[in-house]
Every structure is written in C-alpha cells, then in structure tokens.
Amino acid sequence: MTDRIEQAVTPETTNSTFAFELRDVTKSYDSFKLGPISFALPSGYVMGFIGPNGAGKTTTLKAMINVIHHGGQVMIGGVDNQIASMEEIGVVMDTPIYVGEWTINQLRGILKPFYAHWDDTVFTARLRGFGLDLDKRVKDLSRGMGVKLQIAVALSHHAKLLILDEPTSGLDPIAREEVGDLLRQFVGDERHSVLFSTHITSDLERVADYITFILAGRIAFSGATSDLLEKYVRVAGDPSALTSDQKRLIVGYSSHPAGFDGLVEAGNRNLLPAAVLAEKPSLDDIVIYLNKGAHHE
Amino acid sequence: MNKVLVFARLDFSTIRVYLTVRTVLVFAAIAVVFGVTLGSTASQLGIFAAFGLIFSAYPFAISDKINLDMLYVTLGLSRRTVVRGRYVFGELIILAGLLIGYLAGTVVEVIRNKQIDPMGLVGLLLVFVLSSLIQACQFPIQFKAGYAKAQLWTWLPLAVVGIPVVALPPLVGGERLAGMMTDVGAWMAGNLGLVIAALILIWGGVVLGSYALSVRFYLRRDF
C-alpha cells in the first residue's frame, strides 16, 4: 500500500482526490486552543492521528463532522463539511452512541430510514462475520464488539470515509489486530479512506500509510508514516561526550545514570559524536520524545 | 418519509424502552383512583398530561447520557430538523397521554354510571394547550443546556401554574373563587368559538416563539 503514496498531505489547492482536507481549522475553549491546523489525506489510504491525551485529537475529529463549531474550513471529498453528505462518512467512537437498550435488530430498523443507500444484506453479512447477534442489546456488547457494530453500520450505508476516535483503546491485542485488519480491508477499495485517532501508536505502524501527529493543539507532523519514521533517529550514549550545542539538537533529551537518550533529526545525526548510538525509532519513541521536547520548551 | 417525522419516530424509539405497558398501567390506575375519589375527569387528564410532559423530556435526558446529539449529526440530520422533530414528538406524546387519560375518564364515568359530558373534550383541549405551553417553556431551556443543567428551570413553568392553584383559594376565599370559576366557565361555554380561537392563537404563537428560540439555542451548541 505504501508504494501508492504519491501526494503531499499539506493541502495548498482544493483537490477532490483528497478524502478530506482541513484548512486552518481552529477551536477555542477556556483551557485549550486548537490550531490553526491544516492537513489532508488522499483517497484510498489510512491515516493515523496520534498525540498524547488532551492534544486535540477528538476536538479535530468533532470539527470535521460538524459536531462543534470551528474556524477554518473542512472539505470532505472536495465538498465543504457544512454541506457534505454524512452518508459518505462513517463515524466510529470508542463506545457506540446508540441507546443501550436497543437490540442490534432494532438499531437496524431505526438507522435504515436515515440512509438512502442502506444495504441490509451488507449489514447482516458483516454482523455474521463479526459474530454479532441481532438480538443482542447494545449495552451488552464488549468494547470491541461495539466498535465492530459501528463499523458494520458504516459499511452498510456505503461510507467512503471512516473517522474513528480511539477505536482500539481498552481492547486486547487480538481485538486491536482485528480492527486493524478491518481497516486494511476497507481501504482495499481505493475510494475508501480512514482517519484513525489513537494514542496506542503500535497499532498504526502496521496499518497507517500516513501519520498526523498533534501536540498541544498544533500539528507537529503530517505525512507518510515512512517519512516520519525516517525523519528521526533515536540516540543514546554518554552525556559527557556531548557539547551543549549538540545537546540542543536532541529532542526530548533526558539523562539518567545509564547515560542519555533522545531523538535527533536524521540529517543532524552526523553532528553528534560517532560514539553516540543511533537506531531507528518506533512511533512510540517519536511521540514520547517529541512530547517531552514540547514540554521542555 | 419526511425527515422530521423520521426523527420524531427516532425519539419515540429512544424512549420506548422506558415507556412500558406497566408504566402506562400504573399511570392509568392512579388516574382512575383520582378520578373516582375526586369525581373529576380533569384530574385524570392532568395526570396523563404530566405523564406526557415527563416522557417528552426523556430524549434530552438520554442524550445527556450517551451524546445522542452526536448521533443525530452522524445521521445527517440538520439541527433545525432535530428541533422540529422534537416538537412534533413532544406534542404527540402529550396528545397520546391525554387521549389515554380521556379514555380512562370515560371508563370511570361508565363505572360510576354517569352520563359522559361532551364538555370533557373541551377540557381535553384546555389541558392539551396548557401542557403544550409548559412544554414550550421547557424545550428552549433543554435545547440550550441539556436535560441535567436545565432541570430546575424547566419545572419553573409548572410551579408558575401551580402557585395560583395553591395561593388563590386562601387569598380570594374558596367560595368566592368557586363562584368566579363558575362564572368564567359559563362565559367560556357561551363563547366557545371565541375561546377555542383565542386558545389556538395563543398556543400557536407561544409554540412558534418557543421553536424559534430552541433553534437559536441548539444551533449554538457544541456536542
């Protein structure tokens, strides 16, 4: 999938091949300010939306689907989100936003009239595939089952863009892998795209073609996952080998009895002594060090 | 089907799990006991109007709990459609409650071997208008603040209606008040067309004003 990645994800002109584009989106609360943020996802890919708790992930997703008022502009499939059809978007929250007492069968009857392209056959087939019983009440579903139910709903109205808010939080590794597999299957159709917010970055290395990293309401990175992983090098070694200028190059620098560790931009690796150990970071490393670096600034 | 009506049906589906046959029967039993004890059909209508008012607020309460407002957005419903649908649902649930109350009243009259008073229908209309007006005061507050935050304020209109009922008899005197009420009743019976027209005008104006306020408040909400 990664070799299909061809476009930069910072939108400069309106491009209907983008599954979505955010342009200078802002939102202010008393204690938190989001943005202005801009990023986009070409159709046919999975984007992981990462950042620590409280960084603005959910606020961004809510702005995208117009659940909150916001500044700037959001385009969904080339159409402003104020007028974009919600039929094209499937929203998956960590817990279903359905009445707990409804059975899945009742839910089907309740949701169906709202979607012009609702497909009962797809819904039933997905439920069977997920092992979900039509007579089961929403409140009796496990978290993983709740996520699967919402995905089944989204697939049944033929959503082209799936927006998932922390769908894997609280899931065991097997259930998380299942969700990842589902998303990969979904983008098998090039018209389909996924934006997937999570703070469990290990879920994304396997699934996400693109990563957008948000930190304190600002975009720290948005681009191909491989670019992010190649952008930084994790370094560790003896702090006495570093000059103060070299220390300043290290993002999220921390020293401890065994030495120091941190992150350095790959281009700056050669500016550090050869004795400093360098290795490819994981997404987790990048999130942790960049977050630490932001707090130290 | 029209989206407003589909939404009203969604509201009904939301509360249906709480609106059990047992709940309706409990209200019906209370209404019958009140009706037989007080010998008044109005008390039955009042109980079922309260029943309607309580249930019309349930979607707000459930929405507070599981963010149904977000569901409405994901279903592609505009905020105006949600407000319109909620008003349709609210009026229908009060009307349904009153019709059950009226039927319960008729059963009581039959049990008591009394002739059914056609003026009972005028009473039904009066109670409907009064309940609908109370609801029209409640909805904008609930659309603005949600159920929990609005709870104290939403029952204020009921208190405004209840205070004169409690305060007037000692102030004016029970017999004098009864006389006045009889006079008002007689005047209303003599000018039924005018009374009904005035009621419809007042009701329509207040409900429309309430709807406009609700739309204004709901459009501003973040979920």
Side-chain angles (χ1 to χ4, degrees):
Chain A
M1 180 66 65
T2 312
D3 55 0
R4 278 209 281 128
I5 298 173
E6 61 220 3
Q7 296 176 62
V9 284
T10 305
E12 279 161 10
T13 54
T14 301
N15 186 337
S16 60
T17 63
F18 282 137
F20 66 81
E21 303 170 47
L22 276 79
R23 297 163 166 237
D24 298 322
V25 170
T26 55
K27 176 72 188 173
S28 286
Y29 293 107
D30 290 340
S31 56
F32 175 74
K33 189 173 182 297
L34 174 76
I37 58 168
S38 300
F39 64 98
L41 174 69
S43 294
Y45 296 101
V46 177
M47 176 180 275
F49 192 34
I50 58 172
N53 289 331
K57 297 190 295 292
T58 300
T59 305
T60 305
L61 300 188
K62 284 184 169 182
M64 288 178 71
I65 56 169
N66 264 327
V67 173
I68 56 171
H69 297 87
H70 59 84
Q73 192 179 28
V74 178
M75 308 289 280
I76 305 286
V79 181
D80 192 293
N81 72 342
Q82 307 285 334
I83 50 168
S85 163
M86 287 303 293
E87 191 124 4
E88 308 257 301
I89 306 172
V91 179
V92 178
M93 307 302 289
D94 58 345
T95 48
I97 41 174
Y98 310 133
V99 176
E101 302 290 336
W102 287 344
T103 64
I104 295 176
N105 198 30
Q106 284 172 331
L107 178 73
R108 171 170 63 177
I110 288 163
L111 298 185
K112 201 174 159 177
F114 292 100
Y115 295 108
H117 305 293
W118 179 270
D119 192 331
D120 253 342
T121 321
V122 172
F123 188 66
T124 315
R126 285 289 166 180
L127 291 183
R128 204 178 302 123
F130 294 156
L132 288 167
D133 182 358
L134 275 171
D135 295 325
K136 197 130 186 162
R137 289 188 190 281
V138 172
K139 67 174 182 183
D140 295 329
L141 299 175
S142 66
R143 283 176 78 93
M145 290 295 191
V147 168
K148 285 177 180 175
L149 172 63
Q150 294 175 85
I151 292 176
V153 168
L155 298 181
S156 305
H157 62 79
H158 301 293
K160 288 185 182 144
L161 170 65
L162 280 190
I163 295 178
L164 303 98
D165 189 18
E166 301 279 359
T168 53
S169 65
L171 298 191
D172 61 59
I174 296 166
R176 286 186 2 228
E177 186 156 322
E178 281 176 359
V179 172
D181 289 343
L182 272 172
L183 301 183
R184 297 265 22 127
Q185 279 172 27
F186 180 70
V187 292
D189 182 332
E190 289 189 14
R191 294 166 302 171
H192 291 170
S193 314
V194 173
L195 176 64
F196 173 11
S197 96
T198 183
H199 59 268
I200 308 170
T201 49
S202 56
D203 290 341
L204 295 175
E205 287 188 49
R206 203 173 54 88
V207 176
D209 306 296
Y210 289 94
I211 294 283
T212 291
F213 180 25
I214 189 167
L215 206 52
R218 297 279 179 157
I219 301 298
F221 175 87
S222 187
T225 309
S226 54
D227 288 350
L228 179 61
L229 291 170
E230 284 162 18
K231 187 179 177 188
Y232 296 101
V233 177
R234 184 177 180 274
V235 289
D238 179 0
S240 64
L242 298 175
T243 64
S244 53
D245 280 347
Q246 286 171 328
K247 272 185 193 171
R248 270 196 287 275
L249 294 173
I250 300 170
V251 183
Y253 175 91
S254 69
S255 71
H256 36 81
F260 80 89
D261 60 53
L263 210 61
V264 71
E265 287 203 17
N268 290 336
R269 165 66 186 95
N270 293 336
L271 300 175
L272 301 181
V276 168
L277 296 173
E279 62 180 5
K280 194 180 166 188
S282 65
L283 271 177
D284 250 347
D285 292 332
I286 294 171
V287 172
I288 290 165
Y289 288 121
L290 290 185
N291 191 33
K292 220 186 268 180
H295 283 295
H296 285 177
E297 274 171 16
Chain B
M1 202 194 295
N2 177 297
K3 275 203 168 180
V4 173
L5 294 180
V6 177
F7 178 81
R9 204 176 71 172
L10 170 62
D11 260 356
F12 182 71
S13 303
T14 304
I15 67 150
R16 199 172 62 179
V17 283
Y18 305 96
L19 191 62
T20 57
V21 174
R22 199 174 59 181
T23 316
V24 177
L25 284 177
V26 167
F27 269 90
I30 295 169
V32 169
V33 169
F34 264 78
V36 172
T37 319
L38 301 174
S40 135
T41 334
S43 59
Q44 276 134 6
L45 292 176
I47 285 164
F48 273 92
F51 170 86
L53 278 174
I54 290 167
F55 276 97
S56 71
Y58 264 46
F60 290 103
I62 298 165
S63 201
D64 265 13
K65 223 167 91 181
I66 50 170
N67 204 357
L68 281 179
D69 294 299
M70 190 159 170
L71 172 68
Y72 306 149
V73 175
T74 66
L75 293 175
L77 291 163
S78 75
R79 296 189 183 206
R80 280 175 203 281
T81 305
V82 170
V83 175
R84 260 179 230 161
R86 183 69 45 87
Y87 272 79
V88 169
F89 164 77
E91 299 300 345
L92 286 178
I93 197 100
I94 289 177
L95 200 60
L98 286 175
L99 286 175
I100 298 170
Y102 184 74
L103 281 176
T106 310
V107 169
V108 171
E109 300 293 339
V110 171
I111 292 169
R112 295 167 74 212
N113 224 356
K114 277 193 160 184
Q115 208 175 3
I116 294 160
D117 184 2
M119 285 302 282
L121 279 173
V122 178
L124 186 140
L125 179 70
L126 276 171
V127 179
F128 171 74
V129 169
L130 190 63
S131 312
S132 179
L133 290 178
I134 292 170
Q135 184 177 263
C137 296
Q138 292 179 331
F139 270 14
I141 311 168
Q142 285 163 333
F143 273 113
K144 183 181 170 70
Y147 180 79
K149 284 185 193 164
Q151 210 171 13
L152 178 69
W153 299 104
T154 49
W155 292 109
L156 211 59
L158 212 60
V160 170
V161 174
I163 287 167
V165 174
V166 178
L168 278 179
L171 283 176
V172 183
E175 270 181 42
R176 200 171 153 211
L177 186 67
M180 282 165 73
M181 294 302 284
T182 312
D183 289 348
V184 170
W187 182 86
M188 284 169 79
N191 298 276
L192 208 53
L194 185 69
V195 169
I196 290 173
L199 274 178
I200 290 172
L201 271 178
I202 293 168
W203 173 78
V206 173
V207 170
L208 276 178
S210 162
Y211 165 76
L213 263 181
S214 292
V215 168
R216 200 170 154 188
F217 290 146
Y218 197 57
L219 281 173
R220 287 187 195 157
R221 285 269 301 274
D222 280 345
F223 308 117

